[in-house]
Amino acid sequence: MQVSMIVNGEEVTREIEGRLLLVHFLRDDLGLTGTHWGCDTSNCGTCVVWLDGEPVKSCTVLAAMAGGHEVRTVEDLEQGGELDPVQRGFMECHGLQCGFCTPGMMMTARALLDRNPDPSEGEIREAISGQICRCTGYATIVRSVRWAAAHEASTPAGGAS
Amino acid sequence: MTTTDERPAGFEKNDHKPVGHGRMLRKEDPRFIRGKGRYVDDVQLPGMLHCAILRAPVAHARIVSIDTSAAEAHPKVKAVVTGATLTGLGLAWMPTLSGDVQAVLATDKVRFQGQEVAFVVAEDRYAARDALELIDVEYDVLDPVIDVRKALDPSAPVIRDDLDGKRNNHIFDWETGDEAATEAVFASADVVVSEDIVYPRVHPAPMETCGCVADYDRIDSRLTLWSTSQAPHAHRTLYAIVAGLPEHKIRVISPDIGGGFGGKVPIYPGYVCAIVGSIVTGKPVKWMEDRSENLTSTGFARDYIMRGEIAATRDGRILAVRTNVLADHGAFNGVAAPVKYPAGFFGVFTGSYDLQAAYCKMTAVYTNKAPGGVAYACSFRITEAVYLVERIVDCLAYELKMDPVELRIKNFIQPEQFPYRTKTGWLYDSGDYEPTMRKALEIAGYDDLRKEQAERRARGELMGIGVAFFTEAVGAGPRKDMDILGLGMADGCELRVHPTGKAVVRLSVQSQGQGHETTFAQIVAEEIGIPPADIDVVHGDTDQTPFGLGTYGSRSTPVSGAAAALVARKVRDKARIIASGMLEVSVADLEWVKGAFHVKGDPEKSVTIQDIAMRAHGAGDLPEGIEGGLEAQICYNPENLTYPHGAYICVVDIDPGTAQVKVRRFVAVDDCGTRINPMIIEGQVHRGLTDGVGMALMEMIAFDEDGNCLGGSLMDYLIPTALEVPDWETGFTVTPSPHHPIGAKGVGESATVGSPPAIVNAVVDALRPFGIRHADMPLTPSRVWDAMRGVPRPPV
Ligand code: FES
Ligand code: FES
């Protein structure tokens, strides 16, 4: 079947199988490999992207279901060469180690901050509780999101070394 | 309260300054935070095919027949391979890392649920999976051996009848220490306490599962393998041996790895299947396991059933520790430990205490469960050893009605006793335990916590305070003692300084998230004065890096980190000679101040390392006998292991109505010697503490009596989320290792080792009103509930 959707602001149209998961569509068909695949039971959250502005687990959405909708992935967080404060926060506060859960965590964090610009530690933990990080122990992720909340309006530092 | 090392003012630009150690942001992060990490599953090659593996649905069965014809007829299928096909190629069995063999694809029998039986190569991942459904296997189901305590019963079915003359399920017996001397001490001791302690089977479950892309080039007979490997060089050598491919024609690339924790040390059948798939089809072949394959078939950890015994005087002087262990190794002995150490470094079960005697006897057996044994941040079984001793010491404190902190401090090995030879033969390099313990007490506010506990107990609330103190032995290892399948556990390192003073350092170890690109640039920077930002770290590619055994057992900093420091010193020695020529003074008149050589007494006369690099490559004369260029290489053989230690304190609250354990606070004070990047160290500690919460309270790979794995998905195998863990409180002390060039010790597994006993000790402490002295992990609500009813039960 044919599916069309907006991914990171651009319209894409592809011929796909009806059973194709959105995570595999993004990764294998569009080459957007920042979104990861970490489980078979919708538990890990390494696959989180936005569907019409809401974080969703892209392993639990068929690509066909995203037809006609807007998808946003980690590759779109950096805008016009400027890193999102969430991205800077993760670097500043060591919110990642292997980086595998990071794109999903950042997409959830961005959505949280859009709704709640000053989340408490508990609210951040709640927001990411559907996702697993096996490396950081979460405290630095919480700090990263807090850092982003505190730096939303400031000038980006660039990010490249 | 969080005692993070704050970033000193002006340190933001540390990566541009000629200093090394300190909190520096990670060089690898810019790609990860943009979604530009390159993991194995991100590799897409033109014409690439996909491999999927058919797995055994039962734990023990004879294969009667396999019919692949329907799968072969699938329009998108390119190849279907069974054990019979592999037998023809001589590849049906492969050596494990501990001298056993493991089936790549089952030929005669399946020996655990999830074992590899056949594989399909097809045009896409979905079609490959579809074709698996079309393979028809007839099994003759056999009785499985699931209860490890019955594995040696004479009536138990023999699992490994593939081994010549094998008539039982026994793998090995192992002992350490002095049995008679220990018995003598126990016989005359005032107090003897014993307890049955189980460390259940757990799984590393990194967020990225295992997988590879194999690309066999028929024209050159060259194999390129992108692989989730923690040890690319060791893997290359093993592929050369297993598959008979010449080693120089194999290139193993471990790109970004999404966590390893030991689970990516072994070679799994899936890698071999993908390689065979590529050889057979002439196309690149990707194999990426799903989560349930990861949890049911790749390397598990622990699974020790231990009887711990401790002997002491009535006033709390610990005299001896003794243990008997039954080790479940699954269907194949796939433990990745140095050859002479079949039980890994379990010998450090004597802990941090000055004992008169110690003895351990262990028996390892086969069962119809997945093979493995040491995967999961265990520092080669030190996790089990530390859990045993720290639990049994708490049992002793319980019996003596003594404070567990006081009991530990009273028995610590004293600073002047180092280097300290333990009763099981380990040479602890250095340690100063009491200040580390005191620091943890101070951060935790221990005395106040005990007061609070007394008040809460009086109100019927269940609050527990748990203490653990550990000493680890990490950095395997001295080649006189340690090898894996004959490969010495040394690590190579190469450093090349380019004409403009930038550098590249090539490592034999491989990062799975530990931040090697940063830490190793810092180690070299500290020694040679080139800013870390100007040092490129190359790792994870056998064509680009020198030989070495890889990253596990917290060995990167102790072994490879030492290699990096020493190779930089070698380059600096050469730079000094070139500088003496440039400044026209003798070598003895030069002084090194980070980044430049000065003439002693005349600091104006100096040359920087960058000036020297240009001269080394430039025109003009060099001092007599000195070759051009500025580079060096080294193969570092550690003289000893390094022995980090730490003091952990955990505070839990248990809901008396639901038996739910909540970790309220956790204080971790680690001493890993010289600290290279405090931010990265703190991150590694946080990681291990989270592991500890998982293992102590949630995680377990259980089996039913038929051998069905009950932990085969993340719905069944529970891993802590942000809601189950507290905000960690960390601190540190520094006792440098005398056996490491910069005094560093490993830290990657310290918290995984030290936290489970602290948490369990806290839970047991909370349950003291019920007269509980011990309860086994995982302390899930139902198991805590049982304990509160006075019937704690072992998990296996
Ligand atoms: S891949 Fe695990 S939740 Fe989507
Ligand atoms: S950084 Fe490795 S899983 Fe989160």
Side-chain angles (χ1 to χ4, degrees):
Chain A
M1 63 181 287
Q2 202 183 57
V3 66
S4 297
M5 67 185 85
I6 310 280
V7 178
N8 297 338
E10 277 179 40
E11 167 135 27
V12 297
T13 302
R14 291 286 190 284
E15 198 58 44
I16 60 162
E17 280 189 66
R19 60 177 172 170
L20 182 68
L21 298 176
L22 181 59
V23 62
H24 289 140
F25 177 71
L26 293 169
R27 291 180 49 79
D28 296 347
D29 291 35
L30 303 186
L32 294 170
T33 54
T35 302
H36 297 141
W37 177 54
C39 74
D40 328 316
T41 48
S42 208
N43 286 97
C44 76
T46 60
C47 61
V48 169
V49 301
W50 288 11
L51 189 62
D52 296 334
E54 281 296 318
V56 297
K57 289 177 169 170
S58 62
C59 69
T60 314
V61 175
L62 294 170
M65 290 159 68
H69 295 271
E70 269 187 52
V71 175
R72 189 183 186 206
T73 71
V74 65
E75 284 88 351
D76 194 49
L77 276 182
E78 183 179 15
Q79 289 287 325
E82 292 198 352
L83 290 175
D84 190 280
V86 168
Q87 293 173 299
R88 292 167 54 211
F90 271 71
M91 285 203 294
E92 286 289 334
C93 302
H94 195 32
L96 66 152
Q97 291 184 32
C98 78
F100 203 77
C101 71
T102 314
M105 290 287 182
M106 292 193 304
M107 294 311 285
T108 301
R110 183 66 264 157
L112 170 68
L113 291 174
D114 285 351
R115 280 198 312 273
N116 176 358
D118 188 24
S120 67
E121 175 183 340
E123 287 168 332
I124 295 167
R125 287 182 183 270
E126 184 73 43
I128 59 171
S129 64
Q131 288 164 256
I132 299 172
C133 174
R134 201 59 160 156
C135 299
T136 62
Y138 305 105
T140 56
I141 295 183
V142 172
R143 284 181 213 161
S144 302
V145 181
R146 292 289 311 148
W147 190 99
H151 291 78
E152 283 285 29
S154 70
T155 349
S161 62
Chain B
M1 180 180 55
T2 303
T3 53
T4 325
D5 310 45
E6 285 307 328
R7 226 166 155 199
F11 231 76
E12 311 79 45
K13 293 266 181 285
N14 183 30
D15 52 347
H16 298 295
K17 287 200 298 183
V19 293
H21 302 173
R23 187 186 198 275
M24 172 185 159
L25 297 190
R26 299 201 321 167
K27 287 157 68 88
E28 39 275 270
D29 286 354
R31 68 176 183 273
F32 289 133
I33 51 114
R34 289 176 169 88
K36 297 290 181 200
R38 193 167 159 82
Y39 301 90
V40 168
D41 198 20
D42 301 343
V43 175
Q44 293 249 34
L45 301 178
M48 188 174 79
L49 303 172
H50 293 261
C51 169
I53 294 175
L54 183 71
R55 293 175 182 277
V58 291
H60 200 193
R62 205 160 285 291
I63 296 175
V64 179
S65 64
I66 305 183
D67 180 358
T68 58
S69 53
E72 276 158 25
H74 187 291
K76 288 188 170 175
V77 166
K78 301 292 175 195
V80 182
V81 173
T82 65
T85 331
L86 291 187
T87 304
L89 299 167
L91 288 175
W93 293 84
M94 63 179 186
T96 69
L97 293 176
S98 35
D100 196 356
V101 289
Q102 171 173 1
V104 175
L105 293 178
T107 49
D108 51 343
K109 288 202 304 192
V110 293
R111 293 176 169 84
F112 67 94
Q113 187 190 49
Q115 188 182 339
E116 299 77 3
V117 174
F119 72 85
V120 165
V121 179
E123 283 170 23
D124 64 66
R125 353 179 162 231
Y126 289 41
R129 296 264 164 163
D130 288 344
L132 295 184
E133 306 278 319
L134 301 174
I135 300 175
D136 196 11
V137 186
E138 194 187 328
Y139 293 104
D140 179 8
V141 177
L142 305 168
D143 283 340
V145 179
I146 302 304
D147 182 348
V148 62
R149 296 176 184 87
K150 296 188 182 144
L152 293 179
D153 285 358
S155 61
V158 177
I159 299 168
R160 296 301 302 280
D161 45 3
D162 58 295
L163 299 173
D164 251 356
K166 192 80 188 151
R167 299 232 156 68
N168 57 34
N169 297 312
H170 180 263
I171 305 178
F172 65 78
D173 286 322
W174 174 82
E175 62 176 352
T176 185
D178 186 331
E179 184 174 16
T182 307
E183 175 51 33
V185 174
F186 267 86
S188 61
D190 300 344
V191 184
V192 170
V193 176
S194 44
E195 191 67 76
D196 287 318
I197 297 173
V198 177
Y199 211 135
R201 179 178 279 234
V202 292
H203 196 280
M207 294 325 295
E208 178 203 39
T209 58
C210 297
C212 68
V213 176
D215 187 11
Y216 185 72
D217 176 343
R218 284 178 177 170
I219 299 169
D220 273 354
S221 320
R222 245 188 107 79
L223 172 70
T224 308
L225 187 75
W226 288 262
S227 158
T228 51
S229 167
Q230 296 180 223
H233 285 280
H235 280 197
R236 180 182 61 178
T237 304
L238 290 180
Y239 290 128
I241 293 167
V242 175
L245 297 168
E247 197 168 0
H248 67 297
K249 298 275 194 184
I250 306 174
R251 177 181 184 188
V252 177
I253 301 171
S254 292
D256 288 325
I257 304 289
F261 322 126
K264 291 169 179 170
V265 175
I267 289 183
Y268 293 119
Y271 302 142
V272 181
C273 293
I275 294 169
V276 171
S278 181
I279 292 174
V280 170
T281 60
K283 292 275 176 25
V285 171
K286 178 185 281 185
W287 166 68
M288 205 69 218
E289 67 186 5
D290 64 26
R291 178 58 62 189
S292 63
E293 294 181 282
N294 178 254
L295 287 168
T296 56
S297 72
T298 61
F300 72 94
R302 327 289 187 250
D303 224 343
Y304 269 19
I305 295 185
M306 306 179 277
R307 176 148 191 90
E309 293 176 283
I310 190 163
T313 61
R314 191 143 317 275
D315 63 350
R317 181 84 212 144
I318 303 174
L319 304 172
V321 176
R322 181 163 62 187
T323 179
N324 199 297
V325 181
L326 182 58
D328 185 342
H329 283 229
F332 306 101
N333 184 18
V335 169
V339 170
K340 287 186 210 157
Y341 299 82
F345 300 168
F346 188 80
V348 302
F349 70 92
T350 53
S352 313
Y353 311 108
D354 186 19
L355 305 181
Q356 294 178 7
Y359 177 68
C360 167
K361 166 107 199 308
M362 179 180 299
T363 300
V365 299
Y366 291 119
T367 59
N368 286 111
K369 302 177 196 167
V374 302
Y376 198 2
C378 71
S379 307
F380 298 122
R381 302 283 194 192
I382 290 173
T383 322
E384 291 92 323
V386 166
Y387 181 66
L388 174 85
V389 62
E390 289 305 288
R391 196 74 271 292
I392 197 76
V393 164
D394 251 42
C395 292
L396 175 66
Y398 180 99
E399 291 302 330
L400 296 174
K401 301 194 172 39
M402 217 173 145
D403 182 274
V405 171
E406 191 193 330
L407 178 60
R408 285 178 169 84
I409 289 178
K410 186 172 181 145
N411 288 284
F412 277 155
I413 300 164
Q414 294 303 304
E416 63 278 5
Q417 290 178 280
F418 290 96
Y420 177 87
R421 181 73 70 181
T422 71
K423 289 291 178 272
T424 45
W426 299 75
L427 189 68
Y428 287 12
D429 63 355
S430 59
D432 191 357
Y433 296 161
E434 192 171 332
T436 310
M437 189 78 226
R438 298 251 173 244
K439 187 145 196 179
L441 296 173
E442 182 194 314
I443 296 174
Y446 186 73
D447 295 339
D448 290 343
L449 284 172
R450 285 290 177 204
K451 274 185 215 126
E452 183 194 336
Q453 182 183 39
E455 288 162 21
R456 284 185 188 268
R457 258 188 199 157
R459 294 199 296 267
E461 293 172 30
L462 302 176
M463 168 183 170
I465 305 161
V467 178
F469 196 96
F470 66 88
T471 301
E472 273 200 282
V474 301
R479 60 198 309 166
K480 64 179 184 330
D481 303 322
M482 293 178 193
D483 69 275
I484 288 188
L485 286 186
L487 298 171
M489 300 190 77
D491 274 275
C493 192
E494 287 174 17
L495 175 62
R496 205 177 282 175
V497 184
H498 306 310
T500 57
K502 317 287 182 194
V504 56
V505 58
R506 298 169 188 278
L507 316 176
S508 57
V509 291
Q510 155 61 33
S511 170
Q512 309 105 45
Q514 295 92 333
H516 288 172
E517 290 164 42
T518 308
T519 305
F520 281 82
Q522 291 186 275
I523 294 173
V524 172
E526 178 78 9
E527 298 297 329
I528 203 170
I530 294 174
D534 290 348
I535 301 171
D536 201 22
V537 176
V538 176
H539 61 134
D541 180 345
T542 55
D543 269 11
Q544 307 273 348
T545 58
F547 185 85
L549 277 212
T551 297
Y552 41 85
S554 303
R555 65 188 299 284
S556 284
T557 297
V559 188
S560 212
L566 292 177
V567 82
R569 287 179 194 173
K570 229 169 150 177
V571 165
R572 196 174 70 200
D573 289 344
K574 180 173 179 184
R576 179 188 291 269
I577 299 171
I578 298 173
S580 77
M582 292 168 77
L583 294 167
E584 297 177 331
V585 292
S586 82
V587 164
D589 288 333
L590 290 175
E591 202 172 18
W592 171 256
V593 178
K594 279 178 191 169
F597 282 105
H598 302 260
V599 175
K600 280 184 192 158
D602 187 2
E604 294 295 284
K605 280 189 80 180
S606 76
V607 285
T608 65
I609 188 77
Q610 289 81 4
D611 301 333
I612 299 167
M614 185 53 87
R615 171 61 75 96
H617 293 90
D621 280 344
L622 291 172
E624 182 85 27
I626 291 295
E627 276 180 26
L630 194 56
E631 56 193 64
Q633 61 177 350
I634 191 174
C635 180
Y636 176 75
N637 174 32
E639 85 178 80
N640 188 12
L641 301 171
T642 67
Y643 291 80
H645 66 267
Y648 289 1
I649 298 176
C650 175
V651 182
V652 301
D653 297 299
I654 301 177
D655 183 328
T658 63
Q660 178 82 41
V661 178
K662 177 88 191 155
V663 178
R664 188 205 307 174
R665 289 182 62 196
F666 201 108
V667 173
V669 176
D670 276 274
D671 189 324
C672 59
T674 302
R675 294 156 61 80
I676 298 159
N677 186 325
M679 176 186 86
I680 288 177
I681 293 171
E682 188 198 38
Q684 299 220 333
V685 170
H686 285 189
R687 198 202 82 67
L689 298 177
T690 309
D691 275 356
V693 172
M695 294 182 295
L697 304 180
M698 304 162 73
E699 296 178 25
M700 175 170 167
I701 297 283
F703 294 84
D704 70 11
E705 60 200 13
D706 296 325
N708 295 307
C709 179
L710 304 178
S713 82
L714 293 181
M715 281 206 279
D716 308 294
Y717 188 72
L718 300 183
I719 292 173
T721 71
L723 294 179
E724 281 85 34
V725 295
D727 191 14
W728 311 109
E729 301 170 60
T730 59
F732 63 93
T733 55
V734 176
T735 313
S737 169
H739 299 142
H740 187 282
I742 61 172
K745 303 175 177 180
V747 73
E749 294 157 310
S750 291
T752 311
V753 166
S755 57
I759 299 166
V760 174
N761 289 349
V763 173
V764 171
D765 184 51
L767 297 178
R768 182 174 279 246
F770 301 96
I772 297 294
R773 195 179 75 182
H774 176 69
D776 281 314
M777 303 185 281
L779 292 161
T780 57
S782 77
R783 302 175 48 73
V784 172
W785 186 260
D786 287 347
M788 286 163 62
R789 296 287 159 285
V791 282
R793 56 193 160 100
V796 288

